[in-house]
Amino acid sequence: MSTDNSPVTEDPNKRLVESLVGMTVESTSTSEAISELADAFLASKNIVFCTGAGLSVASGISLYRSDSEPNAIWNNYVETTGRLETMRKMGVTKWFNEFLMDSHYNDSFLNAIPNAGHDAITELTRIFPNTSVITQNVDNLHKKSGMEYSQLYEVHGNLTGWRCLNRNCKHHKKEVLRLNLDDYIIPGSSDPLRYDPKCPLCDSHATPNVLWFDMSYGDIYMAGGHTFDDIVRLISAADVVCFVGTSNSVGITGHIEHIVYDQNKLAFDFNISSETTLVRSKLIQGPAAETLPALVNLLKERAPDRF
């Protein structure tokens, strides 16, 4: 047993973050990481957020993959269902009614509102213009939170947009379609979608403008006119990369992780897990709806004139 009677000094960063957000920071390493990330913002570094499904959990949307979450979407629907090939084999109407209407076009998706994590990231992009967001999420919550497409890259698309399956149509890849599903629905029916959604320009079948499992990055139209090459350039130019609610089981996260590793970039992992699986990433443990506002509040404390 130690006989040292000198007072124990507590990390001031940990106390500050706890007082600002009203949460208990799990470890000194988390508070130090939040403090280090705040320094990067104040130094006008190029910062990129890579956000995944974990960010939207606080908005009531289920995870896509989880060993501990029985309602995770791909726990209930095998990945072979989320493919255009399956849509063609099943028939468009059957695919919509048995898969898409239940898995995505439901109240939890359509009526979800941004949580404090989304709002914190949007505030950061407004105050620090060198900040950008690459999101895997198709739930439209970043846009609902007020983020501009000049700083938002929806690499997996967005459920609010539609894409014509006719490769010769401008709505295939150059311009997103806006369709109203109410035009195709029979109210009160057990199979609510009666008519196949069609492109109003060429009358070909239309599907949500999202990246299905048998598609490749670059196959969809990204709002803002962004391309996958733009994303690669964005990551390569970044000084700091922040992963939020994602893992390297997702293709784009793994791709970004390789760039982080190869170029020895500073990286942070906002995650509820007690350990990060992302190489070279400093863990910021806790719900993103709490840790991201903690970052914003710390920045307001250090640089109130910026807000």
Side-chain angles (χ1 to χ4, degrees), residues 2-306:
S2 171
T3 58
D4 184 3
N5 293 322
S6 60
V8 177
T9 57
E10 185 179 359
D11 175 18
N13 289 328
K14 180 178 180 180
R15 286 203 311 274
L16 176 59
V17 172
E18 287 179 352
S19 65
L20 289 172
V21 77
M23 64 176 285
T24 300
V25 177
E26 295 296 332
S27 66
T28 301
S29 62
T30 288
S31 58
E32 287 177 345
I34 291 176
S35 181
E36 184 177 2
L37 180 53
D39 289 340
F41 274 100
L42 295 176
S44 299
K45 299 292 187 180
N46 292 321
I47 297 176
V48 176
F49 284 91
C50 175
T51 66
L55 175 61
S56 296
V57 168
S59 295
I61 295 179
S62 296
L63 293 169
Y64 274 81
R65 296 176 176 88
S66 175
D67 293 333
S68 59
E69 175 53 63
N71 291 323
I73 290 174
W74 298 125
N75 288 359
N76 295 325
Y77 298 95
V78 293
E79 294 180 7
T80 53
T81 309
R83 296 173 179 267
L84 294 180
E85 179 185 8
T86 305
M87 180 195 74
R88 295 185 177 100
K89 288 180 178 178
M90 291 178 64
V92 177
T93 304
K94 184 179 177 67
W95 184 75
F96 269 87
N97 285 331
E98 295 187 3
F99 163 58
L100 203 61
M101 298 294 289
D102 186 53
S103 64
H104 290 79
Y105 283 91
N106 54 51
D107 289 343
S108 66
F109 262 87
L110 301 180
N111 298 330
I113 59 175
N115 61 59
H118 294 100
D119 293 339
I121 293 176
T122 296
E123 187 168 11
L124 290 170
T125 61
R126 288 174 178 163
I127 303 300
F128 301 96
N130 292 339
T131 304
S132 301
V133 177
I134 299 168
T135 186
Q136 305 152 23
N137 298 339
V138 298
D139 52 32
N140 199 42
L141 292 183
H142 279 301
K143 198 70 184 115
K144 283 184 179 180
S145 74
M147 190 174 296
E148 298 293 335
Y149 272 127
S150 58
Q151 293 166 279
L152 177 61
Y153 297 73
E154 295 173 325
V155 68
H156 286 179
N158 188 315
L159 276 174
T160 64
W162 291 73
R163 174 174 171 266
C164 178
L165 295 181
N166 175 6
R167 292 182 176 274
N168 296 317
C169 179
K170 72 174 184 177
H171 293 303
H172 177 70
K173 197 173 174 179
K174 294 181 179 179
E175 186 177 316
V176 72
L177 276 169
R178 300 295 176 188
L179 299 181
N180 184 358
L181 273 188
D182 290 342
D183 295 338
Y184 302 91
I185 285 175
I186 306 173
S189 170
S190 59
D191 290 328
L193 203 66
R194 180 178 181 182
Y195 306 107
D196 298 347
K198 295 288 187 70
C199 172
L201 184 63
C202 70
D203 202 41
S204 298
H205 285 121
T207 183
N209 185 45
V210 301
L211 193 76
W212 301 113
F213 282 104
D214 53 354
M215 298 171 65
S216 301
Y217 287 112
D219 280 352
I220 60 169
Y221 172 85
M222 269 192 274
H226 303 305
T227 67
F228 189 72
D229 287 342
D230 292 334
I231 289 176
V232 173
R233 285 190 289 269
L234 185 71
I235 292 297
S236 296
D239 300 303
V240 182
V241 176
C242 300
F243 298 98
V244 182
T246 186
S247 71
N248 51 18
S249 65
V250 182
I252 186 62
T253 302
H255 190 84
I256 293 172
E257 184 184 24
H258 279 296
I259 297 176
V260 167
Y261 181 82
D262 290 342
Q263 299 182 10
N264 195 26
K265 295 181 182 294
L266 179 62
F268 298 87
D269 180 15
F270 287 79
N271 208 306
I272 60 171
S273 174
S274 59
E275 295 182 357
T276 180
T277 61
L278 301 170
V279 296
R280 296 195 188 280
S281 293
K282 300 186 179 186
L283 179 65
I284 296 179
Q285 186 185 7
E290 297 177 7
T291 51
L292 286 164
L295 170 63
V296 171
N297 288 334
L298 182 58
L299 285 164
K300 288 179 178 178
E301 179 75 14
R302 291 185 180 177
D305 56 310
R306 302 286 294 269

